[in-house]
Amino acid sequence: MDLSTMNWFAVLAAALSAFVLGGAWYSPLLFGGVWMRENRFSDDDLKRRNLAKVFGLSFLWTLIMSVNLAFFLNTPDTTAAWGATAGFLAGFGWIAMGIFIIGLFESRSARYMLVNAGYMVAALVLMGVILGLWR
C-alpha cells in the first residue's frame, strides 16, 4: 500500500461527513427519539454524560474508520460508485451484521438494531462516495 497516494484531506472530509451525519441521525429530527426510547435514556441521562469525551472519541473512531476504508479504496481505479459499493458492503456486511448478532445476544429490539446499523451503513456509504470522488 502506497500511502503517498492516499488523499488525507478526503479521509478527513469523509470522517467529518459521517460525524455530521451521526449528529443528524441521532437528533430528534430523525431517529433520536427512537434511539433514546430503545435505550431507555432520558434527557437527564444524556446531560450527565461527559459529552466532550463522547464526541471526541466518536470523532476519533470515525476517523479511524475513514482511514481503514481509504486503505481499501486507495487504488487508481476507485470511483464514487465503487466507493459507495465498498462502503455499503463494509457497513451492511460487517458492521450491521455485527450489530444484529450482538443485539440478539443482548436481547435488543429490532428498532435499536436497525437505527444503529442503518447509521453505520449510511455513514460508510457516504465515506466511500467521498473517498471515491476525491482521489
Side-chain angles (χ1 to χ4, degrees), residues 6 37 59 73 85 120:
M6 185 85 74
R37 279 191 303 279
F59 180 73
L73 297 175
T85 301
M120 294 310 304

Side-chain angles (χ1 to χ4, degrees), residues 14-37:
L16 282 169
S17 71
F19 187 74
V20 170
L21 176 64
W25 194 271
Y26 291 98
S27 77
L29 295 174
L30 292 177
F31 304 105
V34 173
W35 178 79
M36 285 183 64
R37 279 191 303 279

Side-chain angles (χ1 to χ4, degrees), residues 33-52:
V34 173
W35 178 79
M36 285 183 64
R37 279 191 303 279
E38 295 304 312
N39 281 293
R40 296 182 180 97
F41 288 156
S42 68
D43 288 334
D44 288 338
D45 292 327
L46 298 181
K47 289 176 187 173
R48 285 190 289 268
R49 292 184 164 192
N50 180 346
L51 292 181

Side-chain angles (χ1 to χ4, degrees), residues 36-112:
M36 285 183 64
R37 279 191 303 279
E38 295 304 312
N39 281 293
R40 296 182 180 97
F41 288 156
S42 68
D43 288 334
D44 288 338
D45 292 327
L46 298 181
K47 289 176 187 173
R48 285 190 289 268
R49 292 184 164 192
N50 180 346
L51 292 181
K53 178 181 176 183
V54 169
F55 286 110
L57 288 173
S58 294
F59 180 73
L60 174 65
W61 293 330
T62 304
L63 181 60
I64 291 169
M65 289 172 58
S66 182
V67 170
N68 184 64
L69 186 59
F71 279 128
F72 282 95
L73 297 175
N74 190 24
T75 62
D77 56 337
T78 292
T79 63
W82 170 237
T85 301
F88 175 79
L89 293 172
F92 181 77
W94 289 329
I95 296 179
M97 295 305 108
I99 288 171
F100 294 152
I101 291 167
I102 292 166
L104 285 172
F105 279 95
E106 293 180 349
S107 299
R108 296 292 192 148
S109 71
R111 281 200 257 181
Y112 169 89

